[in-house]
Amino acid sequence: IAAAVRKVNPNQEELQRAIIKGTEMILKYYDKMSGNIIKTAKATAAAGRYEDAINMLFAIPMNNKDFQTAQSLIAQYGSTSLDHKNLDVIRQARSAWSANPTEEGATQANKLLENLESPSAKIQAEAKQLQVEMAARIKAVSDREFKLEAQKEQNEKEVRLAGIRAAASVAKAYVASRPRVVYHYYWW
């Protein structure tokens, strides 16, 4: 096949006419079918298969009357497809955080959020909200642990003071229970 292709003369008049006629037939086909291709692509996109819809629209040639429509739909579906992928990444991150609401879970969720591709403002807002939620939870846990540690130290201090007070009370009671000795110096 390669040898036969090499023998073909690209400057042959018949070959040039066949190529021109084939190009014209292809353009006529797309002129007739571009409306149907766009309708099919819209239906495919409505079903959530954006990549398939984009591939259909890429088939419409530049010389076609519907080329600009196809290009605008490609841009729209590409953006929507990217948003859906990014929403899946955010769902995975939220799931990782929900499964393990600790610092390790937050780290894992942030690693997942690094996979966002060209996020829109809406996606950025959702990612930021998740990060704020994680930070607030970690701070609350940290504050609670700090308060518990401070309370534990305060309780230990109160136990020591209570022990000292009890010892003082026992000493006072002991002293109070002892008979009072009175020395009279002048009686000797």
Side-chain angles (χ1 to χ4, degrees):
I1 294 175
V5 171
R6 273 188 252 136
K7 289 182 182 179
V8 173
N9 182 4
N11 296 325
Q12 224 177 16
E13 226 178 275
E14 291 177 22
L15 180 61
Q16 292 296 324
R17 277 190 296 217
I19 290 173
I20 290 171
K21 186 175 180 180
T23 304
E24 288 173 359
M25 290 177 71
I26 290 171
L27 291 176
K28 283 181 185 177
Y29 169 79
Y30 279 106
D31 280 342
K32 290 180 183 176
M33 297 303 292
S34 63
N36 289 337
I37 292 171
I38 289 175
K39 286 179 187 175
T40 305
K42 286 180 178 180
T44 304
R49 298 186 347 249
Y50 298 103
E51 299 297 324
D52 293 341
I54 289 171
N55 289 335
M56 286 179 201
L57 293 169
F58 269 128
I60 298 175
M62 288 172 80
N63 301 351
N64 192 286
K65 62 184 180 345
D66 292 324
F67 178 74
Q68 290 302 323
T69 304
Q71 292 301 306
S72 66
L73 287 173
I74 288 170
Q76 176 186 345
Y77 296 156
S79 173
T80 305
S81 174
L82 192 58
D83 278 352
H84 282 290
K85 288 177 185 175
N86 287 336
L87 281 173
D88 285 341
V89 169
I90 289 177
R91 281 188 205 108
Q92 290 172 359
R94 191 170 292 281
S95 175
W97 168 245
S98 295
N100 186 9
T102 62
E103 287 186 39
E104 292 111 24
T107 302
Q108 184 180 9
N110 280 325
K111 283 182 183 176
L112 287 169
L113 289 176
E114 289 174 4
N115 295 330
L116 292 175
E117 297 176 29
S118 304
S120 65
K122 174 186 168 189
I123 300 296
Q124 287 177 349
E126 287 197 36
K128 184 71 175 170
Q129 178 186 1
L130 177 60
Q131 288 175 331
V132 166
E133 179 184 319
M134 291 186 299
R137 167 85 169 125
I138 290 172
K139 184 177 181 330
V141 168
S142 175
D143 288 349
R144 188 172 1 138
E145 288 174 358
F146 178 76
K147 286 179 183 177
L148 287 174
E149 188 65 31
Q151 184 65 37
K152 181 180 173 185
E153 289 178 15
Q154 180 67 26
N155 290 346
E156 289 173 358
K157 181 180 175 184
E158 288 178 7
V159 166
R160 285 192 304 260
L161 285 175
I164 292 170
R165 286 188 199 117
S169 173
V170 168
K172 285 180 186 176
Y174 176 74
V175 169
S177 69
R178 300 290 297 160
R180 190 161 188 187
V181 177
V182 178
Y183 295 101
H184 298 281
Y185 295 108
Y186 52 89
W187 286 0
W188 294 17

